[in-house]
Structure formats: C-alpha cells, structure tokens
Amino acid sequence: MTRPTQRVTHDLRFALTEMAQRVGERSPSVRGGDWQMAVVTLVNGDGTVAVDGIPAVRCLETYEQPAVGDVILITQSGNGNWAAWGRTSTGGIAIGQTLTARKSSSTPRASTTVMANDPHLAIAVVPGTYKVDAFLMYDGDPTADLKLGWSAPAGTTGAWWPGAMDNSGTTLTAVQRWGALSDITASTIAVGAIGAGTIIACRPVGTVIVTTAGTLALAWAQGTSSATATNLRGQSTLELRRIA
C-alpha cells in the first residue's frame, strides 16, 4: 500500500468515526435519556406542548395549566419520547401551589366596628388568580356578631361567600351571599354569633384575582359595637391556592 493510499484510508476512517459520533449524539437510542430547559411555544389540545422545535412533549399531571412562554424542564427517554416535568421556579407562586396561614392564638375585639386585618391570617401574593378557603372559629355577643371582609393589594377583584348564617340567623339573601365581583376590599358580610364562649364556625370561600403583588388578609370586626368581645379563635386557617 502506497503512502497516499494509507493517508486516504486514515482520512476515511477519521471521517467515518466523526460521522458515527455525530449520529450517536443525535440519536436517543445511542446516547440514552436527556433533559433540558425549554420554552413553551404552543399548547396542544391533547395533553402535550410544543417547545423549541419539538412538536409534542407529553405533560405530567403535576404540570397544571401550561401556557405559552412557560420555562419548563423536559426529559427524553431512550426511544425518543419527550415528557414535560413542569414549570421551573421563578421565585414566585406557582400555579397549583397552596399557601396556608394559621392563627396561633385567639384574637378578641370589643367595642369596635372598624375593620382591621387579623394578625395571623395574612398571606403574601403575586399577580394571579387564587381559590380562597378559610375555616374560622369564633364566639361573641349575639347582638354584635362577626363582620368579615378582606384587605388586598390595590385592584384585586373577586367574589366570595361567608359560609355561615347571616347576622339575623336566617338564610342569606342574594346580596349577603356574595361579595361583589369588583374591588374585594369594599365587600363586607356579617355572620351570626350565638354567645360569648360558645364557639361556632364559618367557612368563607371564593375566588380572587390579584393584579399587584402584596398581601391578602382576612379583615374583621364586630357587626355591632359591644363591650363583650368577639373572639376569632386560634387554629382558624386561611388557605389560598393559585389556579391561574
């Protein structure tokens, strides 16, 4: 074999090796699984999303409400199928995340109808839509009752129901049943109490739409001023779940 022939053979072997390496790098069956960051460019209607040139990446059930622009973590199996684990953290509150506040001790309020935030039932929020679910234990003068409302960032809208009888002890009227779907901080509803030391409960629920980051807090006072305190009891809770 002449030297030129040897050189051609060497070059051909090198070229084939390089080609095999490049093909292997692109082939899932050769390189095995893979994962990477990607940006959603299209949400398909079959439980998949398109990302960065990949037309169909299967979403896990934990990846709720995918949206164009989401930065997600995707992974690939050895046979080439792609799956989306979910959104990467932005340091905010993820869709599907639940936040909870608990009253560590009871709070009494007497001789006041001025709404004030509860010292425990407050949660920091970022723009988004939240499901509200609170469980409140309380007691107080049946002539004073308990007036409920909300303190929220400017522009927050929503609707809510107090989850209890009204302050006359009768069925709630249409007006009393829902806080207005407008500025939620302007909406207050009084619920009935049946006696000092006789603990009863209510369960306010609803939906709030936050447009400015801040704090969402339960606000409350007596419905009618009384020297007998209305007490919001310890172990009451406020829960927010981001849904959009």
Side-chain angles (χ1 to χ4, degrees), residues 45-237:
D46 59 355
T48 66
V49 294
V51 298
D52 298 342
I54 305 171
V57 180
R58 177 66 57 186
C59 299
L60 300 185
E61 285 190 352
T62 51
Y63 179 20
E64 299 184 19
Q65 301 185 34
V68 172
D70 283 350
V71 179
I72 64 174
L73 189 65
I74 62 176
T75 186
Q76 188 178 41
S77 67
N79 63 7
N81 292 323
W82 288 93
W85 288 348
R87 295 179 188 82
T88 56
S89 174
T90 59
I93 301 170
I95 293 175
Q97 184 176 350
T98 299
L99 307 171
T100 302
R102 177 184 66 88
K103 280 190 72 61
S104 56
S105 60
S106 298
T107 301
R109 287 179 180 167
S111 303
T112 181
T113 59
V114 177
M115 299 293 287
N117 291 355
D118 186 82
H120 306 108
L121 300 182
I123 297 175
V125 292
V126 299
T129 302
Y130 299 82
K131 177 182 177 183
V132 180
D133 191 350
F135 177 68
L136 308 178
M137 296 177 287
Y138 67 98
D139 68 274
D141 185 344
T143 66
D145 299 313
L146 170 66
K147 182 169 62 174
L148 299 172
W150 303 95
S151 171
T156 299
T157 58
W160 64 287
W161 180 61
M165 64 182 180
D166 66 12
N167 57 342
S168 64
T170 61
T171 302
L172 293 177
T173 67
V175 173
Q176 293 167 318
R177 185 171 288 118
W178 292 101
L181 188 59
S182 58
D183 184 350
I184 198 168
T185 61
S187 175
T188 61
I189 301 175
V191 296
I194 60 175
T198 303
I199 300 172
I200 57 176
C202 63
R203 189 173 182 177
V205 295
T207 304
V208 294
I209 303 167
V210 177
T211 57
T212 304
T215 299
L216 179 71
L218 179 77
W220 62 277
Q222 293 180 310
T224 302
S225 180
S226 172
T228 300
T230 298
N231 298 287
L232 192 58
R233 294 287 182 164
Q235 309 312 317
S236 296
T237 58

